[in-house]
Amino acid sequence: MKKISLLFTLLFYFVLLGAASAHDRNVKFTLGIGTGYVIYGDDDIDTSISGSSRAIVVTDALLHLPLAEQLNFLAGMDCVGDFVFAGSEHYLRYDYAFLGGLEVLTPLDGLSFSISYALGRRTDFIALKDDNDDLHTWHDSSRWGNGFKFSLDYDFAALTGGSWTPSVGAYWRNMPRGNEERDNILAVYLHIPLF
């Protein structure tokens, strides 16, 4: 695990150095928010409580560093919160992953696709009542997994010519959780460029 942490730290610094030297080459940093659906690989994971509500929130932060005219290096983080709640009972599943990959800008103005390596895990915070109406809370984390993320984006800056124009996109992220189980996350989002 220490080797992986060192690798990501070095990669992060190289990306920052490259971003600083490539400031005039359309380096972008984007923040995204959206929603989605999670297909859990473990059949024992419960996604409902009697009378519950559910919300899934997707957030991410990405650095787009140009490598060539039609190719960007991506580095960032992706988080998915799956919240099921009914009064004091809840399932709060928080999935987080560090990303590194390539984005290909297609000849169709504004359309791009990317594939990224994802290193992540999921932490579950659970509070349920027993038969005596006593509330019990606990948390559990999956093992770290090496997965991948495919995304498709459309940047409206191609239509408007503005650099602060948002983009929309969708992705599929596949994350192994150990014991031959994989979570599949499907999401749609809106990206806002910060620079």
Side-chain angles (χ1 to χ4, degrees), residues 28 30 103 105 108-112 152-170 189-193:
K28 276 194 327 187
T30 59
E103 176 183 38
L105 308 172
L108 303 170
D109 282 346
L111 187 66
S112 66
L152 183 67
D153 289 86
Y154 184 77
D155 189 351
F156 289 100
L159 296 176
T160 64
S163 61
W164 297 97
T165 311
S167 62
V168 294
Y189 52 84
L190 175 74
H191 270 162
I192 306 295

Side-chain angles (χ1 to χ4, degrees), residues 48-157:
S48 66
I49 302 170
S50 179
S52 66
S53 298
R54 185 176 188 185
I56 297 177
V57 178
V58 175
T59 59
D60 70 5
L62 290 173
L63 180 68
H64 305 251
L65 179 64
L67 299 176
E69 187 175 340
Q70 305 279 170
L71 186 66
N72 289 335
F73 173 76
L74 296 177
M77 186 172 182
D78 185 37
C79 302
V80 178
D82 184 359
F83 308 108
V84 177
F85 48 92
S88 59
E89 293 184 291
H90 63 259
Y91 294 112
L92 306 176
R93 294 190 170 86
Y94 184 62
D95 180 282
Y96 40 98
F98 300 98
L99 306 170
L102 295 174
E103 176 183 38
V104 177
L105 308 172
T106 68
L108 303 170
D109 282 346
L111 187 66
S112 66
F113 66 90
S114 65
I115 182 169
S116 299
Y117 164 77
L119 172 66
R121 70 189 286 184
R122 186 188 71 237
T123 300
D124 303 336
F125 300 93
I126 300 168
L128 295 173
K129 292 182 179 178
D130 62 15
D131 294 337
N132 296 326
D133 214 28
D134 295 327
L135 187 67
H136 299 278
T137 61
W138 68 95
H139 73 278
D140 188 26
S141 293
S142 70
R143 293 161 58 185
W144 285 92
N146 300 301
F148 58 86
K149 175 182 172 180
F150 291 111
S151 62
L152 183 67
D153 289 86
Y154 184 77
D155 189 351
F156 289 100

